[in-house]
Amino acid sequence: MTQDEQFMALAMREAEKARVAGEVPCGCVIVKEGRVIARGWNQVEALHDATAHAEMVALTAAEAAVGDWRLEGCTVYVTKEPCPMCAGAMVHCRPERVVFGIPDPKGGACGGWIHLLDANPPLNHRCEVTGGVLREACLEQFQSFFRAARAEAKRRKKQAREEHADDTDD
C-alpha cells in the first residue's frame, strides 16, 4: 500500500464517523512531514452549518496545529473531490498537495466541474492534485450510504401510506 493509500484509508475512517452520525460520508486528514496533523468529517447536519464539510473542519484544525493559516508543506487527503468552497479555502491556506478518492464531475473543483487548484492563473496559489486514490473503496462508502438512505426513505414513505390508509378505514 502506498503512502497516499495509507492516508486515504485514514480519511475513510473519518468518513465512517460521518456515516455513523447520519452525515454524508466524507472524511479528510491533513498530513505534514509524514504525520497526521488534523482530521475532519462532514458535520453539516449536526452543526447546522453548511460550511462544516470534512475539508473545512480539517483545515481549521490543521491551522491550529501549525499555528498559522498557511499550510505550506501539507497534503490534504479527502475521500471525495472538494467542492468550490473547500477548494477555494485550500487556495488560500496553500497546502502543497490535495489527494482525493472519488471525482465529482457535477460539483468538484479539482478538475471535475471546474479546476480551482492548479489551472487558474489569477489565484495566488496552486496545489498539486492527485485523484482516484482508493477510488473504488471510497465510491462504495458513498454508494452504500445513499443506498441505505434511499431504502430508509422508501420504508418511511410506505409506513406513512399504511398509516394514512388505516386512518381512512375508520
Side-chain angles (χ1 to χ4, degrees), residues 80-168:
K80 181 177 170 283
E81 181 180 352
C83 72
M85 173 184 68
C86 295
M90 290 175 201
V91 166
H92 291 291
C93 65
R94 305 174 182 165
E96 183 177 319
R97 293 180 67 215
V98 175
V99 179
F100 65 85
I102 56 175
D104 182 358
K106 292 182 179 178
C110 298
W113 172 55
I114 60 174
H115 206 325
L116 293 178
L117 294 180
D118 77 356
N120 217 326
L123 299 176
N124 67 332
H125 178 70
R126 288 161 191 74
C127 304
E128 176 187 332
V129 176
T130 304
V133 175
L134 295 185
R135 182 185 188 282
E136 293 304 317
C138 292
L139 183 61
E140 175 54 32
Q141 194 172 41
F142 266 82
Q143 288 177 334
S144 66
F145 172 80
F146 286 110
R147 274 193 302 269
R150 284 190 299 274
E152 176 60 19
K154 187 175 181 178
R155 185 197 64 76
R156 277 188 264 154
K157 189 175 183 179
K158 180 181 177 189
Q159 182 181 11
R161 277 195 313 267
E162 290 170 354
E163 289 172 2
H164 179 70
D166 290 343
D167 292 343
T168 58

Side-chain angles (χ1 to χ4, degrees), residues 17-84:
K17 293 176 186 177
R19 186 199 63 79
V20 168
E23 302 274 357
V24 172
C26 187
C28 182
V29 297
I30 300 179
V31 174
K32 184 170 184 149
E33 298 171 354
R35 187 176 65 84
V36 174
I37 62 166
R39 301 167 187 268
W41 66 92
N42 273 0
Q43 298 176 52
V44 172
E45 300 297 334
L47 298 177
H48 307 288
D49 180 355
T51 69
H53 289 193
E55 301 96 307
M56 300 298 280
V57 171
L59 289 170
T60 300
E63 291 165 343
V66 300
D68 193 356
W69 58 268
R70 294 172 193 87
L71 297 179
E72 294 163 344
C74 292
T75 300
V76 176
Y77 292 88
V78 60
T79 57
K80 181 177 170 283
E81 181 180 352
C83 72

